[in-house]
Amino acid sequence: MKRKLKGKIAILMLFTLVIGMIKDIPVSAAQESGTEITATITVASNISKQDMQTYLDGFRKKYPGIQVEYQSHSDYENEVGQQIADNDYPDVLFVPGSIGADQYDQYFEPLGSKEELDKKYNYLESGKMNGDTVYGIPSSAYVNGILYNKEVFDKAGISETPKTIDDFLDDLRMIRQRTDAIPFYTNYAADWTLKVWEEYPFIEMTGDPDYRENGFVNELDPFLEGTTHYQVYGLLYDIVKDGLCEDNPEESNWDDSKVMLNEGKIGCMAIGSWALKQVKDSGNNGDAVAYMPFPNEIDGKQYMTISTDYCYAINKNSQQKEAARCYIDYMLDESGYALDHQVLSLVKTDPSPAAYGNMDNVVCLANNEASSENYRKKQILSTNLDLTNSTDEIKRVIEAAEGKRDETFDDIAKDWNERWESSRTEDMLEDSGTKVSVLGSVLSENYEVEFSETEQEYLDSLKKIRVGYLNDMPPYQYQTEDGFGGVSKELVDILKTEFGVSIEEVGYDSTQQIVDALKNGEIDMAAGIQKASEYAQDLKFSTDCIEYMEVMVKSDAQDTDKALTGTMAQTKGEYYSDFRTEASKTLDTDSLLDSLYAIENLKADFTVANYYSVYYYMQQNGLDHLSLIPVSQNGKLYFAYAKDVDTRLISVCNKVLYSIPEENKQIMLNNSLKSDQQKITMKRFIEANTIPCLLTITIIFIIIVLGVIFIMRDRDKIAKTDALTGMNNRYGIRDDIHRVYEKKLFPLAFAILDIDNFKKINDTLGHAGGDEALKLLASELRKLFPGDSLEGRYGGDEFVFCVWGKEPDVVEQGLQTLVQSMNRDLSYGDATAHISISLGAVLVRKADTYEEIFKAADRVLYEVKKNGKNGYQLKEFQKDEEGVLG
């Protein structure tokens, strides 16, 4: 949606990071030899050919000898299921849900062992397997929640997404009363769309990834009032019974519903996030389409289940199996389909998409695998009631709510419970002991850069990358005496290092020039531009590099409402149509600085720009008669590419962007704000200050200097502070240790420590529980040597501290106390995990480099871990080849 210019002055900057990489992934034989294959293959899918054409063209470009006959099926399950029954089905297909595990080897070619494919792909636990043999690989993964139209919710006066089932029902009632939209669309007739309801009673309602497969089967009477199933299906019943859905669910239509939700004729519907792009593309109102979690909150968090889409498989009787495998490998590894459709790629080295909407308090988890015993129980208990593979019982709920069945929801829940419990054997009633938990998949935000084999081959083939940047967008990118400067320059330098290729940097005076250069093939990528509606459809973009606040700039002598209807200063070659204004006319300027001068001198009334560029020029030029008012949402800069770019370039750039910690971006921004390399002419300054007054200039100068000192001091503090623990981060503790050196506070002890098996703790307690473990360790560290020590969180679960003025035996006693105090059980929610720490420390008697001391302590920590963890060692630091002597 276009942005309205309103609000109060604020400073906001958010950086998104995110993704883990896995090493040494082999390329299949099909990939190595596929370009030489000559064949014709048939491919069946539930995706239209129009939506797939870009990827089919990309496949044909890589494999010119392989012809693809593409079949799209609107009723995929029934149509392809019948083809399989007739033994006349395509070479490549999605495995229909009607095919059971005992039939996989009858119809499909083995794709490899789970152990082998696990090196390359995530989420194989949701694939099609018999034992360790994989017959179907998921095409992508997604999260489950509610798809909704923001404008419908806004018109109903709903200002935030619901956090409880009761709130959700209230919201639907307001939509019914205050708008013409259908509050909720069941999509009853499509049948398969109803399966999402059986996802919600588990992770969404409990926050426990182990509950579905290992907890639910051991719960007695799991369908009666008060249970998660009762609450979830009770919601569906109430929606229909209260007339909050379409008038006749039996006549609903999936394809129509996508258009209707896009146009605001439907408020929301239950569907996986894979449908988000389809609905956005179904009309002209895609910006109104959004995604939210299922309405249930647990300790301030909402949860979403990661699920997988249809699985790719190869016809066992195909005569073109090698070509068919080339198609599957291309779609999974190289096509960029997941990136384009904002779903989760199966490839471990691929990035996850940006969060859906505001995900600050949302946790995404995948269900853990069942233990063999709990799997056996589920097979038995499902004998008389199977909500997972059949939608008949879900339809029964809807029909009863419509009044087409002579039963209430309580009758249905009671019947479900009796049928389920009737299959429970006597041995299931005994205490099953500790549940076996198999590690699931969790969306993570800590990443290291590692490229897949295919991506590395692509990078090796590049001679250079031509990067365009803006000459006049400080502190992000600008022209200096030495060329390209700013935050974007530092990001591009990181790309250069990680890619191992040369970079040719080309400066441009406007965004329009950069867009034209991309379209004309003059550059390969842009170092950071917005997704303006004028050109967004003509380019491709990375994940966002930088987020910033958009502000309206006006003279402090002007009334805001009056300014908005006056003259708007617009920099030539920039785009402003995404901002809704009532400007009576425009004034074209050559640069943002010229626009600011025009407003300062009352030649224009307002403009719109990013906060930090405005702030930069205000500080550099003494423009102290400007007022800044934030617009309703933040802007973002993205790496941009031509439409026909090899998507591997986007993928590798995203991986590097995700690997850069937020604190590093803050440091880059801080350094660029301090930079004085961009030259400002005296002529412009004099134009803005036509009445020479030495006293006034002196006062203004003092105020500016003091303001910059205080602002920069606060920025430095923020950039050197860990947000979770409030302690120094790696930069803060390094600077403080240098100050300890300057005061010669020797001897001192320097230690590195971390939490043992922290990933297991995260998996057991959840990320919120893991955060509690980190805060607990931070608290214990602060108690250790108060007043005579420095403590900090280096990153992840790793901490450092430095203590001075203590005898070695006192230090050692303190270390022992810390290790003992952290050797404990930690409970969070309903889960409990045992925690402990490992610590390596060195005793330093005279100054040395921080880097050498850090390496020495790290080696001692390694010895502690090698000896079984949950302990400490303190060694003398002496400068020799190893850095440490016992």
Side-chain angles (χ1 to χ4, degrees), residues 736-755:
D736 283 351
I737 286 178
H738 285 312
R739 283 191 281 273
V740 171
Y741 281 0
E742 291 171 0
K743 295 179 180 179
K744 299 182 179 179
L745 298 176
F746 297 101
L748 61 82
F750 179 82
I752 303 176
L753 60 152
D754 61 20
I755 299 177

Side-chain angles (χ1 to χ4, degrees), residues 410-441:
D410 281 336
D411 294 332
I412 295 173
K414 183 179 179 181
D415 175 61
W416 286 357
N417 200 71
E418 289 175 353
R419 288 158 60 188
W420 180 265
E421 291 297 327
S422 68
S423 300
R424 192 181 296 277
T425 57
E426 188 170 340
D427 65 297
M428 295 185 198
L429 300 175
E430 299 173 0
D431 183 7
S432 60
T434 303
K435 300 183 182 74
V436 177
S437 177
V438 181
L439 296 180
S441 303

Side-chain angles (χ1 to χ4, degrees), residues 753-771:
L753 60 152
D754 61 20
I755 299 177
D756 298 327
N757 307 312
F758 185 65
K759 185 178 185 303
K760 183 177 180 181
I761 294 170
N762 259 342
D763 291 334
T764 303
L765 303 182
H767 283 282
D771 287 348

Side-chain angles (χ1 to χ4, degrees), residues 519-756:
K519 291 180 179 179
N520 296 332
E522 297 169 13
I523 55 176
D524 301 304
M525 61 181 284
I529 61 174
Q530 296 172 295
K531 276 188 187 177
S533 58
E534 288 91 341
Y535 56 77
Q537 298 301 317
D538 300 326
L539 304 177
K540 287 191 175 182
F541 297 88
S542 69
T543 187
D544 56 281
C545 311
I546 301 167
E547 186 170 356
Y548 56 83
M549 178 186 293
E550 294 278 14
V551 293
M552 183 191 85
V553 187
K554 71 176 188 64
S555 168
D556 57 12
Q558 275 275 33
D559 176 77
T560 300
D561 292 337
K562 185 176 180 181
L564 283 172
T565 59
T567 300
M568 180 180 183
Q570 296 186 352
T571 304
K572 296 174 185 176
E574 300 305 322
Y575 298 87
Y576 296 91
S577 66
D578 287 347
F579 299 97
R580 182 180 298 162
T581 74
E582 299 176 1
S584 57
K585 59 181 179 178
T586 60
L587 173 67
D588 291 336
T589 65
D590 293 326
S591 68
L592 173 59
L593 182 57
D594 287 342
S595 292
L596 299 180
Y597 275 129
I599 297 168
E600 177 92 355
N601 295 323
L602 301 180
K603 295 177 181 177
D605 295 296
F606 77 99
T607 191
V608 179
N610 77 79
Y611 167 78
Y612 279 102
S613 291
V614 175
Y615 172 84
Y616 181 95
Y617 281 131
M618 288 176 65
Q619 296 302 311
Q620 292 285 338
N621 296 275
L623 301 173
D624 54 355
H625 297 295
L626 301 178
S627 293
L628 311 183
I629 300 174
V631 301
S632 58
Q633 69 183 63
N634 292 336
K636 295 179 180 180
L637 295 182
Y638 305 81
F639 289 156
Y641 315 84
K643 194 74 172 178
D644 60 353
V645 66
D646 188 316
T647 55
R648 287 176 293 183
L649 179 57
I650 303 177
S651 177
V652 293
C653 287
N654 279 347
K655 290 177 181 178
V656 174
L657 288 174
Y658 285 132
S659 75
I660 302 172
E662 177 182 351
E663 59 193 14
N664 287 23
K665 292 182 179 179
Q666 289 177 316
I667 296 294
M668 293 176 195
L669 179 61
N670 193 31
N671 290 340
S672 292
L673 283 170
K674 293 177 181 178
S675 172
D676 61 355
Q677 293 186 47
Q678 194 181 41
K679 290 193 171 183
I680 308 299
T681 65
M682 183 60 69
K683 176 177 177 290
R684 283 174 168 169
F685 185 80
I686 293 173
E687 286 174 350
N689 299 274
T690 56
I691 304 176
C693 178
L694 181 60
L695 178 60
T696 303
I697 293 174
T698 303
I699 292 172
I700 292 174
F701 177 76
I702 293 172
I703 292 172
I704 291 174
V705 169
L706 289 175
V708 170
I709 290 173
F710 283 116
I711 290 172
M712 293 309 177
R713 184 186 65 182
D714 288 343
R715 283 218 175 86
D716 284 340
K717 183 177 180 181
I718 293 171
K720 297 174 183 177
T721 301
D722 174 59
L724 178 66
T725 63
M727 307 175 86
N728 281 331
N729 61 19
R730 66 179 69 184
Y731 304 103
I733 195 157
R734 181 178 59 191
D735 290 351
D736 283 351
I737 286 178
H738 285 312
R739 283 191 281 273
V740 171
Y741 281 0
E742 291 171 0
K743 295 179 180 179
K744 299 182 179 179
L745 298 176
F746 297 101
L748 61 82
F750 179 82
I752 303 176
L753 60 152
D754 61 20
I755 299 177
D756 298 327

Side-chain angles (χ1 to χ4, degrees), residues 333-358:
D333 302 351
E334 301 180 45
S335 69
Y337 183 90
L339 178 70
D340 292 343
H341 290 76
Q342 288 294 289
V343 293
L344 305 175
S345 169
L346 270 286
V347 181
K348 288 188 173 183
T349 57
D350 278 357
S352 297
Y356 298 94
N358 184 354

